[in-house]
Amino acid sequence: MPTARESLLRAAHAALRARPWTAVRMVDVAASAGVSRQTLYNEFGSKEGLGAALVGRLVDDFLDGAAHAVSEAVGRGADPAGCCAAAARWMLRTAREEPVVRAALTGCWGARTPLPAACPVRSPGAAGQPALLAALLRDRAVSGLEAAGPPPGAPPPAGGGLPGEAERPGLEFAYEVGLRLALSYVVAPPGAVRDGADGPEGPDGGTGAGDAAVADGAFRGDGADGAAATEGADVPDGEPCGRVDETVRALLGRR
């Protein structure tokens, strides 16, 4: 059974899906979570505290999802370059479907999202600093690669096996370059400017029907399932992920 804090974060996230953060009311969040408004204030102190905690939770779940995506790629027999491309795909899809993550990656915050703050999350301050978040994403992807190990009975993958300690600096550099390349597609997505659209969120500030899959997966902790839910959908991930794969492969080949 979820704790009051978990229920309140879920309710705040659902409210943020329906309206800009500036229009979210604490009394409505408490009622949706089935707790008193006093309980909400006891947990978070203020609306700003609730918003900062929600940002921190979504960013942490995003980073965990990247590591999970890499581990899943290892299980499918992907080499390190393919694993970085899997982390890039997770970044692109989550940034497209979760406005808070997109704001954290780009540093572009607005009325639709709460603001980050120095709150006690596992990635303190990362949500307010895109460069730090990119570095944490790189580290989480490399850690996911190392933790997964080779798939049972699989031969060493083409382009190099899993990294040893001496190889980690080169791998980190290649992953950072690859993931920053993917990040450039978040900042300037292909086809983002369309007739009748008011920026990437559309004229009404909405983010599309695909939001629900990531929204549910984020709080369950099953980031990979969120990615699987959109597998096969018509999403423009092929070009950037292909470029990430090629770039990381080329950089690792120069070791």
Side-chain angles (χ1 to χ4, degrees):
M1 183 174 180
T3 63
R5 187 179 185 85
E6 287 293 317
S7 296
L8 286 164
L9 286 172
R10 288 175 185 264
H13 194 204
L16 183 60
R17 292 290 183 184
R19 61 189 68 88
W21 182 249
T22 52
V24 172
R25 300 195 311 161
M26 295 286 272
V27 63
D28 295 334
V29 172
S32 179
V35 302
S36 68
R37 187 166 55 171
Q38 186 60 50
T39 297
L40 191 161
Y41 281 101
N42 289 344
E43 287 287 344
F44 299 103
S46 65
K47 183 178 179 180
E48 289 73 20
L50 172 63
L54 178 60
V55 170
R57 167 60 64 84
L58 292 173
V59 168
D60 279 334
D61 286 344
F62 163 66
L63 292 170
D64 287 344
H68 199 156
V70 169
S71 297
E72 291 280 310
V74 171
R76 295 192 297 270
D79 64 7
C83 289
C84 187
R89 181 174 293 107
W90 171 252
M91 177 206 292
L92 291 163
R93 290 181 173 178
T94 311
R96 185 167 55 246
E97 297 171 347
E98 177 51 71
V100 167
V101 170
R102 183 167 63 248
L105 286 167
T106 62
C108 297
W109 302 87
R112 180 148 194 91
T113 57
L115 293 174
C119 55
V121 297
R122 287 180 289 126
S123 309
Q129 302 179 51
L132 175 57
L133 182 55
L136 288 169
L137 178 63
R138 172 207 64 201
D139 291 344
R140 202 67 64 90
V142 172
S143 296
L145 181 64
E146 293 174 329
L162 297 177
E165 185 175 348
E167 297 173 300
R168 185 176 177 114
L171 187 74
E172 288 179 343
F173 175 75
Y175 268 42
E176 177 149 1
V177 172
L179 292 171
R180 283 182 178 273
L181 175 60
L183 180 57
S184 72
Y185 284 84
V186 175
V187 175
V193 178
R194 304 179 303 278
D195 291 341
D198 184 16
E201 292 183 349
D204 61 352
T207 55
D211 289 355
V214 170
D216 291 343
F219 282 105
R220 290 197 307 267
D222 53 357
D225 287 347
T230 56
E231 194 70 43
D234 184 17
V235 291
D237 293 338
E239 177 190 341
C241 292
R243 289 180 183 270
V244 169
D245 185 285
E246 292 171 3
T247 300
V248 173
R249 196 174 302 280
L251 290 171
L252 293 177
R254 286 191 283 188
R255 288 181 298 174

